[in-house]
């Protein structure tokens, strides 16, 4: 696996259960996956020699991020390496402009967009769409990086020209009037078997996913089917091998539009570790190794994943003690920590809370309770403070 982050770390956990060893190409020995894998290559994902050392003798080469240059992956394919997903598919998760053009050609619903080579292109697009504008770099952005929600036309032009001056490819899109964000997570094997998990609702804050609710509450059967069928079709059309996450906007008028693609395990699928019969990490390995895919059914009416994000000020209480208090109060909390140093806003782990049997995703109070408990647990681990003011020493 190219990349030594938390996705590789959690994929290694799944590999152990399948009797596999996951070799990791990590940037440093203390990367999350390098801490737990017995087979680590230290090097850069932009270094062909490092990529070749990681791929040497491996049954398959896959990714925990999309940033490996396409031309290097094509050289690995020419070497006979089984790259999954192949570079011809992965390019659609690497380059937003390539992705938008291909999806438009396939008839998939996307926001209106345009490539930008100079400031005048922003003006022309704004005149055409008559809507607020989002400016994006075509490559390299994630967790809100490389994305500007422009305040006005001048702000959009300034952001585009700034990125162009830095040598980045740029596109502009209409800012969608959305009701919420959704994610459709699917997997596809080399011979074309597909599997889909329930569509989930994701919640973003400052461009970072803070919560995923699975299944998405109050989602019509029509939109569930449309989102799932779209994700499976895109996996087939693009030739994906492994997990594909299709991030979607549900608009205020009830349409679905594709926002982003990721061809790897994805934050929106972390709930599957405890809330589905087959986790996204095991499924990704099954697909990459050409095993039959696993059952994607949920194990509870609702599972909520809440990300643990580093606090602005690191708590004096250590993480081990925070875990002690969390488990004493919430023994059902399923915690997954990434072995990262705590930094403001950094994803250092996540918590899954599984709803009690007998509940329903259509019961707003039931869903709200599971969401509150997940958020409370994650905030405690981040800040060492309870959002409801609970004090274990005051006798209440």
């Amino acid at each position: 696996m190219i990349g030594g982050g938390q996705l590789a770390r959690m994929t290694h956990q799944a590999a152990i259960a399948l009797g596999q060893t996951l070799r990791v190409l990590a940037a440093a020995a203390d990367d999350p996956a390098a801490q737990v894998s017995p087979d680590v290559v230290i090097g850069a994902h932009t270094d062909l020699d490092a990529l070749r050392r990681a791929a040497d003798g491996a049954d398959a080469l896959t990714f925990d991020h999309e940033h490996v240059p396409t031309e290097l992956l094509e050289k690995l394919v020419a070497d006979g390496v089984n790259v999954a997903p192949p570079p011809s598919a992965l390019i659609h998760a690497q380059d937003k402009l390539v992705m938008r053009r291909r999806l438009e050609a396939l008839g998939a619903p996307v926001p209106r967009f345009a490539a930008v080579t100079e400031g005048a292109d922003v003006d022309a697009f704004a005149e055409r769409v008559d809507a607020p504008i989002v400016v994006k770099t075509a490559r390299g952005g994630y967790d809100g990086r490389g994305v500007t929600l422009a305040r006005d036309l001048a702000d959009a032009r300034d952001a585009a020209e700034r990125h162009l001056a830095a040598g980045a490819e740029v596109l502009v899109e209409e800012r969608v009037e959305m009701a919420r964000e959704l994610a459709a997570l699917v997997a596809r094997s080399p011979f074309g078997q597909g599997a889909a998990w329930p569509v989930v609702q994701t919640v973003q804050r400052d461009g970072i996913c803070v919560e995923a609710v699975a299944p998405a509450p109050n989602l019509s059967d029509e939109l569930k089917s449309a989102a799932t069928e779209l994700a499976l079709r895109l996996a087939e059309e693009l030739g994906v091998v492994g997990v594909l996450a299709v991030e979607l906007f549900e608009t205020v008028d009830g349409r679905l539009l594709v926002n982003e693609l990721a061809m790897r395990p994805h934050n929106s699928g972390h709930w599957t570790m405890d809330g589905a019969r087959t986790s996204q990490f095991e499924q990704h390995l099954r697909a990459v190794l050409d095993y039959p895919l696993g059952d994607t059914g949920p194990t509870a009416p609702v599972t909520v994943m809440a990300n643990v994000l580093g606090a602005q000020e690191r708590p004096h209480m250590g993480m081990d003690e925070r875990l002690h208090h969390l488990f004493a109060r919430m023994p059902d909390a399923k915690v997954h920590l990434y072995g990262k140093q705590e930094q403001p806003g950094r994803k250092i782990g996540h918590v899954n809370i599984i709803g009690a049997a007998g509940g329903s995703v259509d019961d707003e109070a039931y869903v709200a309770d599971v969401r509150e408990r997940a958020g409370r647990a994650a905030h405690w681990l981040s800040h060492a403070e309870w959002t409801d003011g609970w004090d274990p020493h005051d006798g209440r």
Side-chain angles (χ1 to χ4, degrees), residues 77 98 103 151 249 339 359:
V77 172
V98 171
L103 265 56
R151 297 184 300 273
F249 296 132

Side-chain angles (χ1 to χ4, degrees), residues 73-385:
L73 293 179
E74 289 171 345
K75 289 179 180 178
L76 294 180
V77 172
D79 290 344
V81 176
N82 174 21
V83 177
S88 58
L90 191 64
I91 185 64
H92 300 93
Q94 294 175 318
D95 190 309
K96 296 178 179 66
L97 196 51
V98 171
M99 179 264 291
R100 283 278 178 262
R101 287 167 171 160
R102 182 69 187 281
L103 265 56
E104 186 177 57
L106 291 172
V110 296
R112 290 177 291 178
F113 71 96
V116 174
T117 57
E118 59 182 9
D121 294 332
V122 179
D123 298 343
F125 180 74
E127 185 176 351
R128 175 162 67 90
V129 302
D130 190 26
I133 293 174
V134 181
V135 181
K136 295 183 177 182
T137 55
R139 286 177 173 262
Y142 66 98
D143 283 350
R145 297 176 179 88
V147 176
T148 301
L149 304 179
R151 297 184 300 273
D152 50 33
L153 179 57
D155 188 38
R157 191 187 307 110
D158 178 68
E161 291 176 340
R162 187 171 64 252
H163 290 310
L164 288 169
E169 285 189 277
V170 177
L171 67 154
V172 285
E173 297 179 356
E174 62 176 325
R175 190 188 305 180
V176 175
E177 291 188 53
M178 65 175 180
R180 57 178 168 175
E181 294 189 57
L182 304 170
L185 196 74
V186 300
R188 180 179 178 273
S189 71
F191 67 88
Q193 183 189 11
W197 288 270
V199 178
V200 306
Q201 175 180 326
T202 63
V203 178
Q204 322 293 318
R205 185 183 306 138
D206 298 326
I208 299 174
C209 178
V210 296
E211 181 189 68
V213 184
N218 304 311
L219 186 64
S220 69
D221 290 341
E222 180 183 5
L223 286 185
K224 287 178 194 174
S225 296
T228 300
E229 290 170 8
L230 173 62
L232 288 169
R233 179 167 75 89
L234 292 179
E236 179 69 24
E237 294 277 7
L238 301 179
V240 174
V241 174
V243 165
L244 169 69
V246 181
E247 297 179 54
L248 298 159
F249 296 132
E250 180 185 357
T251 66
V252 293
D253 57 357
R255 296 176 297 135
L256 294 177
L257 295 174
V258 177
N259 178 28
E260 304 278 0
L261 300 179
M263 295 181 192
R264 51 170 171 77
H266 189 254
N267 203 165
S268 66
H270 288 352
W271 70 273
T272 64
M273 298 177 76
D274 302 295
R277 292 187 175 89
T278 306
S279 79
Q280 65 166 342
F281 300 101
E282 178 183 335
Q283 195 81 298
H284 187 73
L285 289 175
R286 286 197 190 204
V288 166
L289 296 171
D290 205 8
Y291 293 163
L293 300 181
D295 185 348
T296 53
T299 59
V302 169
T303 299
V304 176
M305 183 281 306
N307 275 325
V308 180
L309 304 177
Q312 289 301 310
E313 293 188 14
R314 183 173 179 173
H316 294 297
M317 184 186 296
M319 182 59 76
D320 186 66
E321 188 175 355
R322 281 175 257 166
L323 282 170
H324 180 98
H325 286 286
L326 174 66
F327 290 149
R329 188 181 185 196
M330 303 177 68
D332 62 328
K334 306 295 289 185
V335 177
H336 303 272
L337 296 177
Y338 304 156
K340 289 183 172 182
Q341 293 295 315
E342 295 179 59
Q343 296 176 10
R346 188 185 200 187
K347 294 177 186 174
I348 59 173
H350 69 271
V351 179
N352 287 333
I353 295 291
I354 301 169
S360 169
V361 70
D362 298 321
D363 182 340
E364 291 186 7
Y366 171 82
V367 174
D369 176 68
V370 182
R371 293 180 69 175
E372 186 279 328
R373 289 193 290 131
R376 188 189 340 149
H379 188 85
W380 167 258
L381 289 178
S382 296
H383 294 77
E385 61 184 25

